[in-house]
Amino acid sequence: MDMREDLYREFEAIVGPRNISRDKSVLETYRCMASQNSAHYGPYKVRTPFPMAVLLPGSSEEVQKIIRLCNREGIHFKASSTFWSAQGYVSADNAVQLDLRRMDGVEIDAENGIAIIEPYAIAGVIQAEAMKYGYTCNIQGVGGSSSTVASTAGWQGPGPSSLFTGTNYDNLLACEWVLPNGEILRTGSLGSGDGWFCGEGPGPSLRAILRGGVGTAGDMGVCTKMAVKLAPWPGPDHLASRGKAPAYKADLPDNFRCYTLCFPDWEHWAHGVQLLHENRITYTSHRQFNMFGCDIKGAMVKILSDENKQLCDLPELLEDPEVKAATQDMHCDMQIVLAGMSEADLAYKEAALDEILRISGGHRSQFMAEKEIEDWALLYFIRMGRKNLNYVLCGSYEGHFGLARTNYYLAASLVEEASALKKHWEETTPYLAKVGGNSSMGGLAGIGGGGGVSWEFFAHFDSFDDASVKGVAEYFGETNKWMGAKGLGGCMGKVNEGSRRPDGYDRSQEELNKMFQYAPQPGVFTYQWKVREAFNPNHLTGTYYKTLEPSAVRTDVEGAASIFI
Amino acid sequence: MKERTLADFRPMQERCSNCSYCKFIPLDKIRSREFAGGCPSIGYYNFNTYSARGRFQLGVALNRGEDVGEKDLEQVVFSCLSCGACDVSCKICRYNLEPLAHNIALKEALIERGMVPGRVAEERDRLMAAGARAGLCAADLGLPVQGEVLFLPGDRTQESPETADTVCRAAALLRRCGLDIAALSEGFFSGAVLYDMGFRKDFEEIAKENIARIEASGAKEVVTPCADTFYALNRLYPELGLTVPVRHITQVLADLIAQGTLRLTQEVPVRVTYHDPCSLGRKGEAYEPWEGEEKKILNQVHTWEPRRPRYIGNDGVYDAPRAVLRAIPGLELAEMERIREYGYSCGEGAGIPEIDPGLAAFAAHGRLDEAKASEAEQLVTADPSSLLQLRSARRDGDLPVTDLLTLVLAAAGEE
Ligand SMILES: Cc1cc2nc3c(=O)[nH]c(=O)nc-3n(C[C@H](O)[C@H](O)[C@H](O)COP(=O)(O)OP(=O)(O)OC[C@H]3O[C@@H](n4cnc5c(N)ncnc54)[C@H](O)[C@@H]3O)c2cc1C
Ligand code: SF4
Ligand code: SF4
């Protein structure tokens, strides 16, 4: 949709002519291709709508002026920082896209152990800057190229180190936020002029409004600066790496270990993981390499840690007896990193791990302990700079099932059944990569009161191949039914379908009403409706922030919860 | 040369996952906020459009026959240095994407459609008018026309009398070290820049003429101080039939030093940092012939049949210049943050200094800032084009930019 000339000039006056564009070529590159990088939306062979213009604001004041103008003219807007998911793209025709790339500041307040960051500070940069002062940070599971502000404001934010570093929702301190109506809100200590150190006061908290439990996906305005908590880093001020591309290896002193822990079955696995959670000895804890698939993970580790290997080496490696045995050994596995704050600390952690493994019947994988593999994996987990490996097999993947935030015993009891469903599709259709069914992965994060794994299965498919895309979407229909039948809510592959229509546009309130009127706890959505009416009265963002008109709540149909996505 | 049309890139375009790695150096290598960027084009323009990701997305639209503008599209497509930083960063995780080849294919596709911005056309015309025989000849270099080693002085060496003089003296030094060095009776322009600008046919015309001259010279080896000439002869010409091997002058010097033939005895007490020219480094890897196709295994996993060369930058020339510098008595080498296969472009490449001077200066300033941050006293490079580009961009307070060859000549007592 074209923008009125006078309006374009007004926007241009705010950001300057270099920082606004309505060129067709520019607009084309601000559309999400849902089969390629959907992050739980699709997969569809559609692109999200064109924005009318793209703006690159350079300050909170500019963001504020843009949003005020949007409110005056009824123009939709969406801000994005790093754009690695469908959430960050506009979902209406009369919308402008804010790209926050020019706001990339990072300041480390070493005395308080916090970082004050702007939206385009990617996690990999924040970590590098923090390490100079003896700190590290939580890197959200999407990895080092993503914006920590976006994850903290807009999405969930757990990553492999969250048990140690805190999750982004734990780490949010004071923050500067331009609300959807254009007002600037300074939360926590910043709100009372006391600096960045605290999120809850003195001054307003409003954390639940700003991000809530899962993030507001850009629908609650634009966070322009925030402080996040850092965690101690017992390594050098720069994490050096050695070796050749792409198989770089960590070059660290001797106080770091990376292990793959193997258990004889899921029950033992759950026990071991519970003990890991309770004893807090790990720097990172993540079931990672199973994302490639339980039959091929050993071979994939061999390929990825050796610069001379490629995917064409898979068939040979899959026949290698050593790789086969190791892969089998790792069927019920978990990768962890131990970081010793001192020699004694490492000795303690090693001893505690020995004890955990003794109690739970687990052991360390010898295969993964080989020096070159261990150093490769250490770099992988500490820097989180290889997240694009999620896409390496076929060009695209989508997370599904999502036994999310479930207690590990529950997840463990269901994993083989879910795997069997996936394996059936792998073996009877050509749509998904055939990797043994089980491709469950996920981190051990600090869910209050007992911990949990957020188990996601990967469906690897070819975004270029229409049949593969369509087939996977059908498969998610099945997984969604399975989840519903188990009383687990919706499949995470479908999670954003409630937020956008399959054509990439916003849902109408009527559609949302239909979707949530039978929700098990409709109050969540009616509360959000009230919040939206108060903070975003002109409804100018999107429908990721899920709302239900109070008058639409229905309680008349029994068991209707399964309609809810 | 095997032709690859934009349509051939459709699978890559539609398998790019929007991870943004192509905007940065490999994430594992990031040391600071200031020097995390890898792509100068998005660094300068800031819109996603200018990254390799954006270029893939434009490619999708073009392949679908969609209207993605004209003037703006041309401006975006040709404002790419073809430096290959995106290529290395992408390939850290992806085995089936080739952003650099695609960036160049996009330029070719626009040229094919007659969508060539004025400045691009002017630069192409200027280069083509000078032709394959531009530059310094044997007489200029004071070299004979017959010899075992053919010395090719470089694509831009003649543009500065000082650079030309240094190159002549370096050639003389090699002769004194026993190399049977000769040069062509007329000048030599490799045409690599035309390839990087998307003028493949013009490049091939120049390359074929040059290959005939090199093969006819009877030389057993080519030596050059120029990064683009090295890239052309090591990576591009072999596909067109060149059989004579090439070495960069720093490789020759490193060997002579290691053998004890060249003795560097004079102190050069200076702390330097070294800039890896893209064409000598990641783009300079040797050509490996490959004929094959994509093969899916395990239903949907992409492989190439047979195994395909990856060109991820590991085998560029990085160690030789450093070995030469380290052999200079009194000289100290301090590294910058972005080096070797993930080095940052100096802004010279794909004709950008002429086509888009603002972008060229932005890249050069990024490099000069990084050099200063390394706490070196001088920024050294081993390529006349990079040298000229960095020097032309220097601002007050930037480090002096030095030719590696002048340091070697000084250390060899040739001043
Ligand atoms: C491969 C992959 C793996 C993933 N793994 C995980 C995981 O392990 N853990 C996890 O939590 N998530 C995960 N996700 C989802 C992911 O967290 C989010 O997509 C990510 O945190 C944000 O990165 P982005 O580049 O998409 O950010 P963006 O595109 O910048 O934005 C993400 C959302 O935040 C909003 N937003 C951006 N900037 C701001 C701002 N300044 N103020 C307010 N809102 C803003 C956007 O509108 C958008 O809705 C994954 C996604 C992918 C693609
Ligand atoms: S080109 Fe490569 S690095 Fe860039 S976004 Fe696409 S997949 Fe990622
Ligand atoms: S080749 Fe260089 S300038 Fe061009 S997109 Fe890649 S990194 Fe950017």
Side-chain angles (χ1 to χ4, degrees):
Chain A
M1 191 168 148
D2 288 339
M3 183 185 277
R4 262 181 18 231
E5 187 62 23
D6 59 317
L7 264 181
Y8 186 81
R9 296 295 158 211
E10 258 190 273
F11 279 119
E12 186 183 64
I14 297 171
V15 290
R18 257 188 83 81
N19 300 311
I20 181 167
S21 179
R22 57 181 161 179
D23 290 349
K24 281 187 182 149
S25 54
V26 170
L27 302 184
E28 178 61 44
T29 60
Y30 283 87
R31 303 175 76 193
C32 174
M33 304 187 149
S35 58
Q36 289 173 239
N37 52 285
S38 58
H40 320 319
Y41 165 65
Y44 305 117
K45 271 295 214 190
V46 297
R47 281 169 285 176
T48 52
F50 279 108
M52 290 194 290
V54 180
L55 295 131
L56 298 163
S59 65
S60 309
E61 289 67 33
E62 287 184 9
V63 171
Q64 180 179 43
K65 284 182 188 161
I66 293 168
I67 295 183
R68 286 204 162 138
L69 185 49
C70 286
N71 272 274
R72 194 191 79 195
E73 297 293 333
I75 293 174
H76 286 236
F77 63 90
K78 190 80 168 189
S80 228
S81 302
T82 36
F83 288 97
W84 199 0
S85 64
Q87 308 150 348
Y89 296 79
V90 304
S91 44
D93 284 329
N94 63 331
V96 292
Q97 178 80 60
L98 276 68
D99 177 347
L100 303 176
R101 196 186 133 86
R102 289 174 63 221
M103 300 170 72
D104 68 344
V106 183
E107 188 192 323
I108 306 297
D109 174 351
E111 219 161 86
N112 288 306
I114 64 177
I116 300 144
I117 54 176
E118 290 186 335
Y120 201 71
I122 58 166
V125 162
I126 299 169
Q127 187 188 50
E129 292 291 344
M131 280 177 176
K132 294 177 186 169
Y133 298 89
Y135 291 106
T136 184
C137 59
N138 179 55
I139 298 189
Q140 50 277 4
V142 58
S145 72
S146 72
S147 155
T148 297
V149 168
S151 167
T152 308
W155 203 239
Q156 308 187 12
S161 69
S162 293
L163 209 52
F164 177 72
T165 54
T167 306
N168 287 344
Y169 54 73
D170 300 318
N171 293 343
L172 171 62
L173 301 170
C175 151
E176 184 177 77
W177 197 290
V178 185
L179 298 173
N181 64 5
E183 264 178 57
I184 294 187
L185 177 69
R186 293 187 176 83
T187 66
S189 45
L190 197 65
S192 59
D194 288 318
W196 292 94
F197 71 96
C198 184
E200 316 305 336
S205 163
L206 288 169
R207 179 191 295 256
I209 306 293
L210 300 180
R211 64 146 291 130
V214 294
T216 47
D219 286 353
M220 208 37 86
V222 185
C223 173
T224 48
K225 211 172 194 181
M226 66 170 56
V228 291
K229 243 182 286 179
L230 298 173
W233 164 245
D237 60 8
H238 158 61
L239 199 173
S241 56
R242 61 180 175 83
K244 291 192 168 183
Y248 300 132
K249 321 264 163 30
D251 199 0
L252 277 167
D254 201 32
N255 55 328
F256 291 87
R257 299 281 184 278
C258 184
Y259 295 124
T260 290
L261 309 179
C262 310
F263 301 87
D265 54 40
W266 290 112
E267 204 162 323
H268 286 86
W269 179 91
H271 194 192
V273 169
Q274 178 202 343
L275 292 171
L276 282 175
H277 181 265
E278 285 171 4
N279 286 282
R280 306 270 163 152
I281 55 169
T282 58
Y283 173 82
T284 70
S285 21
H286 208 265
R287 178 166 154 79
Q288 181 70 70
F289 303 123
N290 197 61
M291 70 180 178
F292 298 120
C294 62
D295 283 358
I296 71 166
K297 59 182 157 183
M300 284 304 291
V301 165
K302 275 278 188 198
I303 289 171
L304 300 173
S305 59
D306 178 346
E307 65 273 10
N308 297 314
K309 291 203 163 46
Q310 295 192 22
L311 295 178
C312 61
D313 295 313
L314 258 175
E316 195 185 323
L317 285 164
L318 290 174
E319 294 305 318
D320 179 321
E322 186 216 359
V323 177
K324 260 179 152 169
T327 306
Q328 238 160 19
D329 188 37
M330 296 190 291
H331 188 76
C332 305
D333 70 353
M334 187 80 180
Q335 278 83 36
I336 61 163
V337 168
L338 300 183
M341 298 291 153
S342 63
E343 236 174 84
D345 183 51
L346 185 64
Y348 159 74
K349 285 173 173 162
E350 286 278 21
L353 179 61
D354 285 343
E355 187 61 7
I356 289 171
L357 292 174
R358 191 190 62 75
I359 296 169
S360 60
H363 64 272
R364 297 172 177 84
S365 159
Q366 284 304 308
F367 174 82
M368 295 294 288
E370 199 244 307
K371 172 84 176 145
E372 291 300 280
I373 292 183
E374 185 185 3
D375 284 351
W376 169 82
L378 271 174
L379 195 62
Y380 186 113
F381 286 113
I382 295 175
R383 298 240 54 188
M384 291 293 286
R386 313 275 174 84
K387 265 290 147 165
N388 202 25
L389 284 178
N390 289 16
Y391 298 80
V392 68
L393 291 177
C394 312
S396 200
Y397 89 101
E398 182 59 285
H400 64 294
F401 288 123
L403 307 175
R405 298 183 166 203
T406 37
N407 175 286
Y408 13 75
Y409 286 96
L410 177 61
S413 71
L414 290 170
V415 66
E416 288 302 340
E417 195 181 323
S419 303
L421 174 57
K422 178 160 174 270
K423 193 168 181 173
H424 175 73
W425 275 74
E426 289 176 5
E427 288 182 347
T428 56
T429 76
Y431 311 135
L432 330 181
K434 201 163 148 187
V435 294
N438 188 344
S439 54
S440 62
M441 59 83 72
L444 182 58
I447 311 295
V453 283
S454 46
W455 263 13
E456 172 176 352
F457 278 58
F458 279 20
H460 301 280
F461 66 96
D462 183 356
S463 44
F464 172 62
D465 176 339
D466 289 357
S468 179
V469 174
K470 210 161 152 266
V472 168
E474 275 169 31
Y475 164 62
F476 289 167
E478 288 297 306
T479 57
N480 200 38
K481 270 192 225 152
W482 184 88
M483 293 287 284
K486 297 278 167 203
L488 295 167
C491 167
M492 76 187 285
K494 295 254 171 198
V495 99
N496 284 336
E497 266 186 27
S499 322
R500 279 178 194 266
R501 294 193 321 229
D503 63 3
Y505 284 83
D506 279 335
R507 295 274 179 193
S508 66
Q509 187 60 56
E510 290 67 36
E511 283 174 287
L512 294 171
N513 287 349
K514 272 201 192 121
M515 219 170 259
F516 303 125
Q517 59 191 350
Y518 292 114
Q521 293 173 310
V524 173
F525 303 103
T526 52
Y527 171 77
Q528 292 196 167
W529 185 86
K530 287 180 192 162
V531 172
R532 202 241 345 242
E533 292 305 298
F535 286 85
N536 185 8
N538 294 322
H539 305 182
L540 294 182
T541 51
T543 45
Y544 280 84
Y545 193 73
K546 292 170 181 154
T547 54
L548 170 63
E549 270 177 298
S551 60
V553 176
R554 301 270 303 272
T555 50
D556 54 333
V557 182
E558 249 179 67
S562 56
I563 298 170
F564 157 70
I565 294 180
Chain B
M1 246 174 167
K2 212 167 97 196
E3 198 170 330
R4 285 167 88 186
T5 65
L6 202 56
D8 296 328
F9 285 89
R10 267 198 64 201
M12 290 192 198
Q13 293 163 347
E14 297 193 27
R15 288 171 183 157
C16 155
S17 47
N18 211 10
C19 67
S20 284
Y21 285 26
C22 47
K23 298 171 186 169
F24 302 95
I25 59 171
L27 299 177
D28 291 335
K29 299 290 182 184
I30 290 177
R31 300 186 65 154
S32 70
R33 181 189 74 87
E34 206 177 353
F35 306 120
C39 170
S41 189
I42 190 168
Y44 183 56
Y45 285 106
N46 281 314
F47 292 102
N48 272 339
T49 328
Y50 291 82
S51 66
R53 158 68 191 173
R55 294 170 198 278
F56 270 139
Q57 212 158 336
L58 290 175
V60 172
L62 281 172
N63 272 331
R64 293 184 182 189
E66 293 167 356
D67 173 14
V68 259
E70 278 183 26
K71 288 278 164 270
D72 42 318
L73 176 69
E74 292 169 13
Q75 192 276 335
V76 172
V77 168
F78 289 98
S79 285
C80 160
L81 287 146
S82 300
C83 69
C86 51
D87 209 58
V88 171
S89 292
C90 181
K91 288 173 178 171
I92 295 296
C93 292
R94 299 300 297 273
Y95 290 72
N96 49 9
L97 301 186
E98 294 171 348
L100 174 59
H102 178 259
N103 295 344
I104 295 174
L106 255 187
K107 297 180 188 184
E108 286 174 20
L110 260 58
I111 291 167
E112 194 70 27
R113 292 165 199 215
M115 296 169 70
V116 185
R119 277 179 187 245
V120 177
E122 278 164 31
E123 180 60 1
R124 177 256 168 212
D125 291 348
R126 187 181 73 79
L127 294 166
M128 286 307 285
R133 289 161 199 260
L136 303 175
C137 63
D140 300 325
L141 292 160
L143 292 175
V145 289
Q146 283 293 321
E148 295 227 321
V149 180
L150 181 64
F151 187 81
L152 299 178
D155 287 351
R156 290 186 59 194
T157 305
Q158 73 281 7
E159 287 178 28
S160 142
E162 187 194 328
T163 310
D165 177 59
T166 306
V167 165
C168 289
R169 291 193 299 129
L173 178 68
L174 294 185
R175 263 185 96 73
R176 279 197 291 286
C177 289
L179 268 75
D180 179 15
I181 284 216
L184 293 169
S185 57
E186 291 176 275
F188 181 96
F189 163 60
S190 76
V193 64
L194 285 163
Y195 180 86
D196 284 352
M197 287 165 73
F199 292 101
R200 179 199 288 256
K201 288 191 184 124
D202 293 328
F203 165 75
E204 284 186 12
E205 192 184 303
I206 286 190
K208 282 178 185 156
E209 183 178 342
N210 282 336
I211 291 168
R213 292 198 293 155
I214 295 168
E215 297 286 342
S217 75
K220 295 205 171 68
E221 181 189 37
V222 173
V223 169
T224 180
C226 167
D228 259 4
T229 304
F230 179 81
Y231 159 54
L233 271 68
N234 208 35
R235 177 71 172 272
L236 304 176
Y237 284 15
E239 198 182 342
L240 294 165
L242 179 72
T243 59
V244 182
V246 60
R247 278 195 296 166
H248 188 253
I249 194 165
T250 53
Q251 295 176 298
V252 180
L253 290 168
D255 285 351
L256 291 171
I257 293 166
Q259 291 154 11
T261 314
L262 175 61
R263 280 189 233 285
L264 303 182
T265 52
Q266 305 299 304
E267 288 265 326
V268 184
V270 62
R271 194 172 151 87
V272 303
T273 190
Y274 174 72
H275 165 73
D276 290 288
C278 310
S279 294
L280 184 59
R282 59 180 163 250
K283 283 164 65 186
E285 291 180 302
Y287 170 73
E288 289 176 55
W290 183 80
E291 197 63 58
E293 56 187 26
E294 181 179 287
K295 181 181 165 200
K296 281 190 180 179
I297 58 171
L298 304 174
N299 283 353
Q300 291 291 350
V301 177
H302 310 139
T303 62
W304 304 104
E305 176 78 16
R307 170 190 301 270
R308 185 176 191 171
R310 282 201 77 200
Y311 300 116
I312 196 169
N314 284 330
D315 296 326
V317 178
Y318 311 111
D319 292 329
R322 289 174 170 80
V324 172
L325 288 171
R326 289 202 178 96
I328 296 175
L331 183 141
E332 220 186 303
L333 177 63
E335 292 284 11
M336 288 184 276
E337 291 186 17
R338 296 173 290 191
I339 53 170
R340 300 175 72 95
E341 73 274 13
Y342 54 98
Y344 190 69
S345 166
C346 67
E348 160 72 23
I352 293 298
E354 308 300 326
I355 298 170
D356 190 344
L359 168 58
F362 172 85
H365 292 157
R367 203 51 168 157
L368 287 159
D369 289 345
E370 190 178 352
K372 199 152 53 165
S374 76
E375 295 184 358
E377 294 154 355
Q378 291 181 21
L379 169 58
V380 174
T381 190
D383 167 45
S385 303
S386 309
L387 184 86
L388 293 172
Q389 162 64 9
L390 287 165
R391 278 190 178 161
S392 72
R394 272 190 76 226
R395 302 150 298 183
D396 283 351
D398 282 331
L399 299 189
V401 186
T402 309
D403 190 336
L404 177 142
L405 296 179
T406 60
L407 296 173
V408 173
L409 289 164
E414 300 277 335
E415 256 179 342

